[in-house]
């Protein structure tokens, strides 16, 4: 596991102080933390951070932590980097692409504007969860997302909201081979390994079609009850 794959605090991933600038209790807490950050002239840790960034540019929080001997959480959420940026000593000079996207800011010395986070498209996305989906389809064949949750080991919430399926479709690694009409709820896409073209989504049932299907189900159930009654009658006679 690389240093940049270490679970970093959210404030570091936000590129500095964007999450701490919100109003309310969070802003108050950020102000208190800012008052606790020691001044550069009186803090050996702050001086080590500046010395490290002075020697090397394009340093991530994990890089700085390893070379300046300051904890990742202290750097990212303790206000050290935020105070150095506010003093005009450092800035975000780049972004390092991880498997989750351009999520790691890189710091360099100097009072310059922060480089904006680059755009990140589904075509460039890659992560272990996506590989697990592909492996599941390879071994078990086409499946809906609830079925994929069972065979891949990923949660339904992850499959539905992570964007993994959309990214895999954008990369043409999977496609929608069919649509399955669930008894209760919307149509569900059936995913399969590429190559292939997406099956068109069927139109929604009209009210008349829903009523007809309901009558058919009732008719089948009534037929089953009649058959069961006949069998019970034969058994008791």
């Amino acid at each position: 596991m690389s240093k940049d794959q270490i679970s970093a605090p959210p404030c570091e991933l936000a590129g500095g102080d964007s999450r701490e600038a919100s109003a309310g209790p969070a802003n108050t807490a950020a102000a208190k933390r800012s008052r606790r950050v020691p001044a550069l002239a009186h803090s050996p840790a702050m001086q080590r951070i500046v010395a490290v960034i002075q020697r090397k540019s394009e340093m991530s929080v994990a890089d700085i932590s390893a070379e300046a001997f300051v904890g990742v959480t202290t750097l990212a959420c303790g206000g050290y980097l935020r105070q150095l940026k506010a003093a005009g000593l450092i800035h975000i000079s780049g972004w390092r692409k991880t498997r989750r996207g351009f999520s790691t800011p890189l710091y360099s010395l100097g009072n310059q504007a922060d480089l904006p986070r680059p755009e990140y498209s589904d075509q460039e996305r890659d992560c272990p969860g996506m590989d697990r989906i592909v492996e599941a389809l390879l071994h078990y064949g086409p499946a809906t997302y609830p079925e994929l949750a069972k065979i891949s080991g990923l949660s339904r919430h992850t499959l539905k909201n992570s964007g993994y399926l959309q990214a895999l479709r954008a990369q043409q690694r999977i496609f929608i081979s069919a649509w399955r009409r669930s008894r209760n709820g919307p149509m569900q896409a059936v995913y399969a390994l590429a190559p292939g073209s997406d099956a068109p989504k069927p139109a929604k049932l009209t009210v008349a079609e829903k009523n007809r299907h309901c009558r058919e189900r009732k008719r089948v159930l009534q037929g089953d009850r009649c058959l069961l009654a006949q069998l019970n009658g034969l058994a008791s006679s």
Side-chain angles (χ1 to χ4, degrees), residues 45 77 107 139 201:
C77 298
Y107 295 90
H139 286 91
K201 186 175 182 179

Side-chain angles (χ1 to χ4, degrees), residues 181-195:
R181 197 179 297 279
S182 58
R183 185 170 182 179
N184 297 309
M187 297 283 293
Q188 291 185 350
V190 180
Y191 298 94
L193 290 179

